[in-house]
Amino acid sequence: MSKESFDDHAEVCENGFSPSRRGFLKAAAAAGAAISLSNTLAYGAGESGYWAKDLPDEKLIDMFSTILRIRWHERTMADKMLTDPTYRGYNHFYAGQEAVATGVCAALRNSGPFDQIDLVYSTHRPTGHALAKGVDMKLMAAENDFRATGLNGGYAAEMHLSDPSVGFIGADGMIGPGPVIATGSAFAFRARGSDQVVVNFGGDGTYATPHFHSALNNAALLKLPFIYVVENNLYHQYAHYSFSVPMKDIATAAEPYGIPSVVVDGQDVMQVYSAAKVAVDRARAGEGATLIEAKTYRYYNHWGAPGAKPGELGAFGYDPLAISSFRPEREVRAWMQRDPVDICRNTLINWEVIDQAKADEIEATVKQEVLDAFAWAAEQPLCNPEDGLKNVFVDGVVEARQFG
Ligand SMILES: Cc1ncc(C[n+]2csc(CCOP(=O)(O)OP(=O)(O)O)c2C)c(N)n1
Ligand SMILES: [Mg+2]
């Protein structure tokens, strides 16, 4: 960042510690323009979505179905929270961000033996990542409602979901430490000579943690097969990201570490897939880490469904959990105009992969699958709260181990 553009931003901050969004974005745009993009990842002759055009029709349809599966899972769960007093589940909803998880996971190896599949480390907002990585929806729905037959016996729920069988190492309620653990896995792959790849998803809120920088530093020093996907949805909890990030594009943070980075439109699954494919190919080839920043937006409030109405997508207006109304309703509606479901559907129709009738048919099938998953989960036995610590501690003595 040039001194002038840094000063621009500093000036905005001086006009009261809380720069207005508009002021911040104006200064950040100037800063962004001054940033050298020499390390920006070149993907497909500069054409966004380039690599996706090579995909077989079935794979593209599969990506559309995944976006829809996430969308209807989130909507159905939000409606359950709003209307069913017996429902225990809760979630940090991922609706609006579906194209990010879908595009990234479509570029990964998601099935096969555990020593061959790629790993995903998720966040406190994990249900989209889980479904995109291949976690069974029924088992996840049961888990989120604390059912004994759920994915993790009903003891994990949303913020501790995990399914190693598909390489979904898990959700993580702590903001920050995930990427450091993820680089540990990437180091193990490198040490073993495996071509597996590790993806860490993190929000814009992770930038200001030491773990973000430690992970990038280690990934660069050790040339790890590691991809950090920053999902910049503009807010952490109820604060705009300008409160903790001094530049417009978090992707530029990779530059001092010598790691290539790219900013993608997180609402366009083809762009996300193409960037992820380039990053995965680099990592598998032993060329090291990549940082991808996906600009995106969440349609619901930070947690749960305050401000939402049953049957309607998104949450508007005042969030009683926030100190004040933290985002303008107009902003939510503007982002909903660039909806990842619509963008993917229109692309597939333009590419003559499907027509509108086929798109409707796929959506109807997905909706039914989601309803079936929630209906199945509701019939499952509940877990025993008394057994909550059963799988937390090991019985007996654990011998110290050292690998030679
Ligand atoms: C170490 C730690 N500090 C604070 C919190 C509380 N917290 C939960 S989510 C969140 C914000 C996360 O923002 P971001 O990374 O942008 O992800 P998003 O919620 O936007 O997906 C915070 C501060 C936490 N879970 N862990
Ligand atoms: Mg965020």
Side-chain angles (χ1 to χ4, degrees), residues 19-26 95-97 204 232-243 267 295-302 313-318 324-340:
S20 71
R21 280 185 203 89
R22 212 168 285 170
F24 168 74
L25 290 174
K26 197 169 143 229
Q97 302 186 204
D204 44 288
N232 186 349
N233 60 12
L234 303 188
Y235 294 92
H236 24 60
Q237 284 190 317
Y238 310 105
H240 190 259
Y241 81 105
S242 57
F243 283 82
Q267 308 312 90
K295 307 283 192 190
T296 185
Y297 202 77
R298 58 175 151 77
Y299 291 170
Y300 289 90
N301 277 315
H302 169 65
L313 175 63
F316 306 97
Y318 184 67
S324 62
S325 177
F326 69 101
R327 62 183 193 182
E329 182 167 330
R330 224 178 261 147
E331 183 182 272
V332 186
R333 296 202 186 279
W335 275 88
M336 289 173 95
Q337 296 301 306
R338 298 202 65 256
D339 184 60

Side-chain angles (χ1 to χ4, degrees), residues 235-260:
Y235 294 92
H236 24 60
Q237 284 190 317
Y238 310 105
H240 190 259
Y241 81 105
S242 57
F243 283 82
S244 64
V245 180
M247 65 279 212
K248 177 173 139 276
D249 295 327
I250 295 173
T252 54
E255 194 171 38
Y257 299 102
I259 291 177

Side-chain angles (χ1 to χ4, degrees), residues 153-164:
Y155 299 114
E158 176 240 2
M159 266 193 286
H160 301 281
L161 289 170
S162 70
D163 186 357

Side-chain angles (χ1 to χ4, degrees), residues 51 107 197 227 273-288:
W51 291 105
V197 170
I227 301 166
Y273 168 81
S274 296
K277 181 194 159 22
V278 176
V280 169
D281 287 352
R282 289 188 69 245
R284 281 208 210 295
E287 289 167 23

Side-chain angles (χ1 to χ4, degrees), residues 192-374:
R192 290 180 193 149
S194 165
D195 72 346
Q196 290 163 277
V197 170
V198 179
V199 167
N200 177 82
F201 287 101
D204 44 288
T206 60
Y207 168 82
T209 68
H211 314 92
F212 175 93
H213 300 276
S214 171
L216 291 188
N217 190 45
N218 286 332
L221 286 171
L222 301 167
K223 231 178 175 194
L224 299 179
F226 174 73
I227 301 166
Y228 200 128
V229 178
V230 176
E231 295 188 78
N232 186 349
N233 60 12
L234 303 188
Y235 294 92
H236 24 60
Q237 284 190 317
Y238 310 105
H240 190 259
Y241 81 105
S242 57
F243 283 82
S244 64
V245 180
M247 65 279 212
K248 177 173 139 276
D249 295 327
I250 295 173
T252 54
E255 194 171 38
Y257 299 102
I259 291 177
S261 64
V262 62
V263 177
V264 292
D265 175 357
Q267 308 312 90
D268 180 354
V269 69
M270 304 309 168
Q271 269 201 45
V272 177
Y273 168 81
S274 296
K277 181 194 159 22
V278 176
V280 169
D281 287 352
R282 289 188 69 245
R284 281 208 210 295
E287 289 167 23
T290 302
L291 187 147
I292 298 170
E293 179 185 4
K295 307 283 192 190
T296 185
Y297 202 77
R298 58 175 151 77
Y299 291 170
Y300 289 90
N301 277 315
H302 169 65
W303 181 91
K309 292 199 185 103
E312 283 180 30
L313 175 63
F316 306 97
Y318 184 67
D319 177 348
L321 295 174
I323 293 162
S324 62
S325 177
F326 69 101
R327 62 183 193 182
E329 182 167 330
R330 224 178 261 147
E331 183 182 272
V332 186
R333 296 202 186 279
W335 275 88
M336 289 173 95
Q337 296 301 306
R338 298 202 65 256
D339 184 60
V341 173
D342 294 341
I343 291 174
C344 182
R345 186 198 299 111
N346 293 342
T347 304
L348 294 198
I349 292 174
N350 284 340
W351 289 358
E352 298 181 351
V353 174
I354 53 173
D355 56 17
Q356 186 61 50
K358 182 70 184 167
D360 292 345
E361 188 190 313
I362 294 168
E363 186 152 12
T365 307
V366 165
K367 272 186 182 174
Q368 193 55 50
E369 183 202 353
V370 174
L371 291 176
D372 291 348
F374 278 87

